[in-house]
Amino acid sequence: MAEKTSASNIGAVRSSARRRLAVATAWDWLPPETIDVVVATYRYESLEVGVVKPGLVRITSTSGSTAEVTQVVLREGPRTRLVFTPMLVDNGKDPEASVRGELAYQSKNAADEWERDTPFDLRSVGAGESVRLKLGSAELLQLYKCVGALYEHVGNGGLQSGTKRLLPVDVGADVSQILDAIAAIGKNDEVKRVLGWMTKQDPAQLAEALQEAEPEVSSQIVVAAGLARLRGFIAEASAELDSADEKRWQEIIERNVWVIGQIFSHPLVLVKREAYLGGKSIRNTGGNTADFLLRNQMTGDALIVEMKTPATKLTTDGQYRNNAYPPSKELAGAVQQVLQDHHTLRQSYRSLVSDTDPEFRVFKPKLLLIIGNLARENDADRVRSFELFRTSMPDVDVITFDELVQKAKLLLGLFEGSQ
């Protein structure tokens, strides 16, 4: 049944509803490239046979310049009903005139199915005769909302090829109701479009809407986001465990700085990628640059991160003696590099930060080196030699790329186990 909304308060409804997540007036269709959720208060007929109402509103292109739209039921009785059938058109002569439609009576046949009545030929109307079609105020408002929304829809994205599916939900529906309606469809695409739309909204308004929703909604979104982030990192990083592209790995870590936080017991914030630490001469040459500079979110203490690649060797090709393998030249050099970073930062700190509000501090900076792939050290003696070497250094934490991925997998297991 159409919502009883007077024409005088449409603006008020539109104004207040826009402050809620995915809630607006009758057919406030969001841009087609973002989400297929539509707020609707009118009755409609689903073109998909067997769908229990409410179902999906469909916009299906029939040519390069036309598209059919789901019929809108304006009036319905036990055996008859009045429907409006919209059509979108690409009107070259008048681009703003992008919607046309047809009003038609339908009646049920013996099989209890709706059939279109035989059209009445208006040319048969004689002198002094007329044909009247009376629309009630609610029916006319419903028609107005539908047509207005279609104009807005075309204005936002124009005509698109294929079928566009839109999910009507009631005005006043909160986030949990919208998500329940999406879940009832059982289609992953709808959820993806909801998430895509959410990323384009004002964060403060989203936070307010989620705060007003049931607590389970917010917690489910947080858990889902955490799982997606973990799975995404694991998939992307696992595919690069044989890579020798250091820049590629820097990009992965920059997007997933949280994974470095799993190595330590405190929250970290990225200060700068390829951070200058000081050390230039008066000729503006030399100087040290770390791959990443992070800070403890609570204390501000710095963390210097240097990265190599999973393809970097951890041990030498040959034994030294007694089944002992020295660290590779690359590993030993990388350890010396991060130690030099630390030395330079301490010397240059005062010239790098503001005295009143430093972006980071150097109480006792931590040093992290991400290098190599333990799976490539396919020898127990090599693994033991590497482990003894890295644990002998109190000032530098060394972790391999596959260990980093494994930490993420363990965290994912904890998340999934809690569900």
Side-chain angles (χ1 to χ4, degrees):
M1 186 68 67
E3 182 180 80
K4 295 182 179 178
T5 305
S6 67
S8 61
N9 67 5
I10 292 177
V13 172
R14 185 178 294 273
S15 175
S16 63
R18 287 191 185 279
R19 293 194 296 268
R20 302 178 64 86
L21 176 63
V23 176
T25 54
W27 253 29
D28 196 353
W29 292 17
L30 299 169
E33 69 275 8
T34 58
I35 183 176
D36 278 352
V37 172
V38 190
V39 176
T41 56
Y42 55 84
R43 300 167 64 193
Y44 58 89
E45 174 191 24
S46 174
L47 296 181
E48 184 173 340
V49 177
V51 173
V52 179
K53 294 180 181 180
L56 295 174
V57 174
R58 292 174 179 266
I59 300 177
T60 304
S61 59
T62 52
S63 70
S65 59
T66 59
E68 293 179 344
V69 184
T70 301
Q71 292 177 327
V72 180
V73 180
L74 300 177
R75 180 190 310 160
E76 184 172 351
R79 302 296 303 175
T80 61
R81 68 180 184 179
L82 175 65
V83 298
F84 173 63
T85 304
M87 176 168 283
L88 306 184
V89 295
D90 185 3
N91 192 334
K93 294 182 179 179
D94 186 358
E96 292 186 355
S98 55
V99 181
R100 69 186 184 202
E102 179 183 83
L103 290 168
Y105 273 107
Q106 294 179 339
S107 58
K108 286 186 176 180
N109 57 23
D112 206 34
E113 297 172 340
W114 292 110
E115 278 189 352
R116 179 171 173 170
D117 290 346
T118 303
F120 177 77
D121 190 352
L122 293 178
R123 292 175 297 181
S124 64
V125 177
E129 297 179 331
S130 65
V131 176
R132 297 182 181 181
L133 177 60
K134 184 177 180 180
L135 295 178
S137 58
E139 296 166 352
L140 190 59
L141 177 59
Q142 190 175 0
L143 181 61
Y144 163 78
K145 289 179 177 181
C146 170
V147 173
L150 287 171
Y151 278 118
E152 184 177 352
H153 178 70
V154 176
N156 284 332
L159 291 182
Q160 297 181 342
S161 61
T163 297
K164 187 71 177 171
R165 299 181 301 168
L166 301 108
L167 172 65
V169 295
D170 290 335
V171 166
D174 60 25
V175 179
S176 60
Q177 291 173 315
I178 294 172
L179 295 179
D180 286 344
I182 294 167
I185 298 174
K187 299 290 186 181
N188 222 17
D189 289 345
E190 278 71 21
V191 178
K192 290 179 181 178
R193 290 187 177 96
V194 171
L195 297 176
W197 174 79
M198 289 178 69
T199 62
K200 301 178 187 302
Q201 304 309 301
D202 179 77
Q205 292 183 1
L206 280 177
E208 182 182 352
L210 289 171
Q211 188 176 2
E212 293 175 359
E214 294 295 327
E216 292 80 3
V217 175
S218 297
S219 61
Q220 283 293 89
I221 290 177
V222 170
V223 170
L227 290 173
R229 179 180 294 182
L230 281 167
R231 290 169 180 163
F233 169 76
I234 291 169
E236 186 176 21
S238 298
E240 300 291 337
L241 281 179
D242 292 319
S243 171
D245 187 345
E246 184 175 338
K247 291 293 184 184
R248 171 65 175 150
W249 267 102
Q250 288 178 353
E251 292 170 356
I252 294 174
I253 296 300
E254 185 176 21
R255 292 194 303 272
N256 299 276
V257 173
W258 56 268
V259 78
I260 295 179
Q262 303 309 310
I263 303 171
F264 303 98
S265 57
H266 49 254
L268 296 169
V269 176
L270 177 64
V271 176
K272 184 77 167 61
R273 174 182 168 184
E274 297 181 346
Y276 172 68
L277 304 179
K280 283 190 176 183
S281 69
I282 60 173
R283 301 176 187 274
N284 198 33
T285 60
N288 288 64
T289 302
D291 288 328
F292 292 98
L293 178 64
L294 296 91
R295 62 176 172 85
N296 184 314
Q297 190 174 15
M298 307 303 293
T299 68
D301 201 16
L303 165 64
I304 299 172
V305 180
E306 287 289 357
M307 293 176 54
K308 298 308 171 183
T309 73
T312 305
K313 290 184 177 181
L314 299 175
T315 57
T316 59
D317 291 336
Q319 289 185 25
Y320 177 67
R321 61 178 60 177
N322 299 331
N323 297 323
Y325 288 84
S328 67
K329 178 182 177 180
E330 292 81 4
L331 174 56
V335 170
Q336 185 59 43
Q337 179 184 3
V338 74
L339 288 170
Q340 182 63 39
D341 288 343
H342 176 250
H343 175 72
T344 301
L345 181 60
R346 277 198 171 279
Q347 285 191 322
S348 306
Y349 176 69
R350 289 299 175 190
S351 64
L352 294 174
V353 299
S354 164
D355 291 334
T356 57
D357 187 23
E359 192 173 2
F360 63 94
R361 301 181 182 275
V362 287
F363 302 128
K364 186 175 174 56
K366 292 184 178 295
L367 310 177
L368 174 64
L369 172 62
I370 308 175
I371 185 171
N373 184 342
L374 271 176
R376 298 168 70 97
E377 305 294 317
N378 53 355
D379 183 291
D381 292 333
R382 291 181 182 277
V383 173
R384 183 185 66 250
S385 296
F386 167 71
E387 185 67 14
L388 290 172
F389 173 74
R390 71 173 173 179
T391 55
S392 68
M393 296 182 294
D395 296 327
V396 182
D397 289 292
V398 181
I399 187 170
T400 62
F401 285 91
D402 54 335
E403 287 177 318
L404 202 62
V405 174
Q406 186 60 29
K407 282 180 176 289
K409 289 181 178 179
L410 291 172
L411 186 60
L412 176 62
L414 291 175
F415 260 103
E416 292 179 332
S418 67
Q419 302 306 301

